[in-house]
Amino acid sequence: GAGVSQSPSNKVTEKGKDVELRCDPISGHTALYWYRQRLGQGLEFLIYFQGNSAPDKSGLPSDRFSAERTGESVSTLTIQRTQQEDSAVYLCASSLQRNQPQHFGDGTRLSIL
Amino acid sequence: GQQVMQIPQYQHVQEGEDFTTYCNSSTTLSNIQWYKQRPGGHPVFLIQLVKSGEVKKQKRLTFQFGEAKKNSSLHITATQTTDVGTYFCAGPAMRRSGGSNYKLTFGKGTLLTVNP
């Protein structure tokens, strides 16, 4: 596709359930980022992937959060045992290379009941 | 860690008025990027400034990067209703080696509303 694709666009789940969010970056983009955006707030960095290098997981808020990316393709962000404070929009972005402008997907709006 | 502050947090203007948002980083930046997020939308890249003191224009938008590469501003002349949204600045910290950290730190944004 032409842009970054994220799915699902909306996810409502009960507290304690696991969720998996998917990001399909722009073809050829080596860098991929996950951010969390709470209502009315800025973007909170979660994790960064660059090619086949080890990811930077320094932004993950707890060990309930994990992410994977195979090569330079799709990435999944998994949140285990969801809590209400996990409710937010999760944005994925990709860029041609590190430090290049980032292209964002439409995000996944996650609501924890 | 690196912090990026933006002021004001909110700005409401009458259509046709000018608007400015300011961005300040606690550390020297290798570059500054500006993004716009429309209500309900995702951030969209506007521009990147790299050089100290750099000024770039995009139609009614003027972007500046400070001499010390720690601050930046976005000025919109004669605002229009299509300018509504949140404007974010973001920058990677500069490493001691002179290179750039890949991690962008975003400011919390300035929400601009325009009264027609």
Side-chain angles (χ1 to χ4, degrees):
Chain A
V4 177
S5 177
Q6 289 187 248
S7 62
S9 54
N10 286 282
K11 178 72 176 179
V12 180
T13 192
E14 293 179 347
K15 176 182 171 181
K17 300 286 188 183
D18 297 353
V19 295
E20 189 173 277
L21 312 180
R22 176 189 169 106
C23 173
D24 201 340
I26 294 173
S27 178
H29 280 198
T30 63
L32 186 147
Y33 305 79
W34 282 98
Y35 296 91
R36 179 170 68 180
Q37 186 174 32
R38 292 198 165 105
L39 188 63
Q41 300 297 310
L43 278 71
E44 177 187 358
F45 168 81
L46 296 178
I47 190 169
Y48 160 74
F49 294 91
Q50 173 67 53
N52 292 315
S53 302
D56 178 349
K57 304 179 181 180
S58 61
L60 295 178
S62 77
D63 58 8
R64 296 186 295 104
F65 288 72
S66 62
E68 293 184 348
R69 186 186 187 195
T70 304
E72 297 180 359
S73 62
V74 170
S75 175
T76 56
L77 175 68
T78 301
I79 309 173
Q80 295 179 311
R81 306 181 301 282
T82 52
Q83 304 293 314
Q84 286 189 334
E85 64 261 27
D86 298 334
S87 296
V89 175
Y90 289 82
L91 289 160
C92 175
S94 70
S95 62
L96 195 57
Q97 296 178 15
R98 53 185 279 174
N99 292 322
Q100 296 294 307
Q102 297 183 15
H103 300 262
F104 286 82
D106 288 335
T108 293
R109 184 175 299 277
L110 177 63
S111 301
I112 310 300
L113 303 178
Chain B
Q2 180 190 14
Q3 292 185 342
V4 176
M5 309 293 292
Q6 276 188 261
I7 55 170
Q9 192 174 359
Y10 307 98
Q11 184 76 59
H12 178 74
V13 299
Q14 287 291 129
E15 190 171 22
E17 291 182 339
D18 292 356
F19 159 76
T20 304
T21 174
Y22 300 91
C23 176
N24 289 284
S25 171
S26 59
T27 59
T28 303
L29 302 169
S30 61
N31 67 77
I32 189 86
Q33 299 176 25
W34 285 90
Y35 292 79
K36 176 184 178 182
Q37 185 174 27
R38 293 182 186 274
H42 59 267
V44 174
F45 172 78
L46 293 177
I47 205 161
Q48 181 181 39
L49 304 173
V50 179
K51 299 177 183 176
S52 170
E54 189 170 11
V55 177
K56 285 189 177 180
K57 292 190 175 184
Q58 287 181 350
K59 297 183 180 178
R60 295 177 295 104
L61 278 61
T62 303
F63 303 84
Q64 293 187 323
F65 198 11
E67 294 290 340
K69 301 185 77 172
K70 295 181 74 172
N71 57 72
S72 180
S73 66
L74 158 60
H75 179 82
I76 302 179
T77 304
T79 54
Q80 299 176 0
T81 55
T82 52
D83 296 325
V84 165
T86 301
Y87 292 85
F88 293 98
C89 63
M94 186 173 281
R95 292 179 174 175
R96 291 180 182 175
S97 61
S100 174
N101 189 353
Y102 54 79
K103 191 186 304 182
L104 281 184
T105 300
F106 280 78
K108 293 194 174 184
T110 296
L111 172 61
L112 171 66
T113 55
V114 180
N115 197 28

